[in-house]
Amino acid sequence: MKEIEALAKALRNAKHVVVLGGAGVSAESGIPTFRDALEGYWSKYDPELLATPEAFRRDPALVTRWYDERRQKVLACQPNDAHRALVEVEAWCHEHASTFVILTQNVDGLHQRAGSKDVVEVHGSLLKWRSTRSNQEVEDLPIPFRTYPANAPDGGLLRPGVVWFGENLPELAVERVELELARADLFIAIGTSGIVYPAAAWSEVARQNGAFTAEINRDPTPLSSSFNMVLRGNAGEILTSLISEIRGG
Ligand code: BV8
């Protein structure tokens, strides 16, 4: 694919590389993407309605169970070729005195399990839970929870450490995103449908700041036409080809 050669060339010329990852990066690990038809029990629920503070207030048992089942699924999955290739790209960038960061919308922790060092979880993590009373994170959680909803030691309920629709992104994550978008000279969006804001706006911010932007996605997205380059296909395959291209394989 000539786009792989072009992306490898852009990577060689870049000093500050930013990856925006979405559910398509974890798809090949067997984790359903956000908008794929949900499996079984969840097929009758709209994830965008379940992933809200209102849903948790209305039915904390249902929402806790949904997240607990997703947590167990994620823990049973393994990082895939896309995660592994991104660890390689990060290492290659550091060997060539470039910065590299993954801004992930995923909440599954697979980039960290694959060995990526610099990962910003802009939508939080399914593996972290906190008390609704103190907002403090609670460690050593039972898997699965013994009751739905699950109780925090301080008498509150346990809620997942994810960003729900209608909630602001973590302040530290937003600060880091702003810093990285200001200096990026290469921005690569991988496996994201470009529907959820503010993350869906970041490729345009990077481009306006002078970055070369590329989209790696199995399907077209509403943002595809705004990227400098589109690589159509599976993230695992494309990123594996990219790493062998930059290592001269
Ligand atoms: C915010 C964590 C300020 C939870 C997620 C009305 C009221 C309030 C807010 C809004 C509103 N209207 C709009 C908004 C803003 C809203 C929003 O954008 N809504 C959308 C639906 C329009 N955003 C927010 O609320 C954000 N906060 O704006 O705060 C504010 C505050 C109050 C009031 C107003 C504003 C918070 C957004 C974060 C929500 N939390 N996740 C959980 O996981 O349960 S978002 C959720 O969607 C996931 O994190 C996911 O990552 C994210 C985006 O989805 P994608 O990653 O793109 O996944 P998707 O399935 O969509 O696409 C997968 C892609 O991969 C596809 O393109 C597919 O083709 C491709 N693919 C598949 N397989 C492969 C592949 N590509 C390559 N290889 C493969 N193998």
Side-chain angles (χ1 to χ4, degrees):
M1 186 195 265
K2 64 181 186 321
E3 288 84 359
I4 297 271
E5 287 156 30
L7 185 54
K9 186 160 174 273
L11 197 53
R12 283 194 197 93
N13 296 334
K15 295 316 287 169
H16 299 291
V17 181
V18 175
V19 162
L20 173 65
V25 173
S26 293
E28 293 161 67
S29 294
I31 296 176
T33 64
F34 215 74
R35 280 157 196 83
D36 277 350
L38 290 173
E39 297 146 32
Y41 182 63
W42 303 111
S43 53
K44 63 175 182 289
Y45 293 97
D46 172 350
E48 278 164 31
L49 294 182
L50 273 178
T52 65
E54 295 73 28
F56 185 73
R57 255 195 300 282
R58 191 177 54 247
D59 192 341
L62 173 71
V63 175
T64 306
R65 179 182 147 120
W66 184 50
Y67 280 97
D68 195 19
E69 293 195 353
R70 286 176 58 191
R71 174 175 67 137
Q72 294 169 71
K73 169 124 186 120
V74 156
L75 290 171
C77 290
Q78 297 305 324
N80 65 57
D81 287 347
H83 297 107
R84 281 188 286 274
L86 286 171
V87 175
E88 292 275 307
V89 173
E90 179 180 52
W92 187 89
C93 284
H94 292 170
E95 287 159 23
H96 294 77
S98 315
T99 65
F100 179 87
V101 64
I102 298 175
L103 311 176
T104 187
Q105 299 172 88
N106 297 341
V107 294
D108 57 35
L110 287 180
H111 285 296
Q112 293 91 327
R113 279 175 52 196
S116 286
K117 304 243 181 336
D118 198 355
V119 180
V120 182
E121 294 178 313
V122 299
H123 291 163
S125 169
L126 200 44
L127 307 179
K128 296 191 180 99
W129 292 65
R130 62 177 188 265
S131 163
T132 54
R133 170 166 291 186
S134 61
N135 250 346
Q136 294 302 312
E137 192 183 327
V138 175
E139 307 285 347
D140 310 323
L141 301 168
I143 301 175
F145 288 128
R146 284 184 274 279
T147 61
Y148 294 129
N151 299 308
D154 64 5
L157 293 181
L158 282 173
R159 65 152 285 176
V162 300
V163 178
W164 278 327
F165 288 100
E167 291 186 322
N168 289 312
L169 276 54
E171 225 169 282
L172 282 178
V174 172
E175 279 166 24
R176 181 70 193 282
V177 167
E178 283 165 359
L179 178 143
E180 294 296 345
L181 294 183
R183 67 177 184 178
D185 45 19
L186 176 57
F187 180 98
I188 311 172
I190 309 174
T192 180
S193 59
I195 292 172
V196 173
Y197 285 83
W202 295 343
S203 59
E204 202 42 33
V205 171
R207 201 179 64 78
Q208 281 160 14
N209 290 342
F212 181 85
T213 63
E215 178 187 68
I216 298 175
N217 200 308
R218 192 194 56 192
D219 306 318
T221 73
L223 301 180
S224 296
S225 58
S226 68
F227 283 87
N228 296 116
M229 176 197 292
V230 170
L231 298 95
R232 186 71 63 234
N234 281 336
E237 223 169 289
I238 289 175
L239 290 167
T240 303
S241 308
L242 176 68
I243 196 66
S244 63
E245 179 70 26
I246 57 173
R247 288 207 183 283

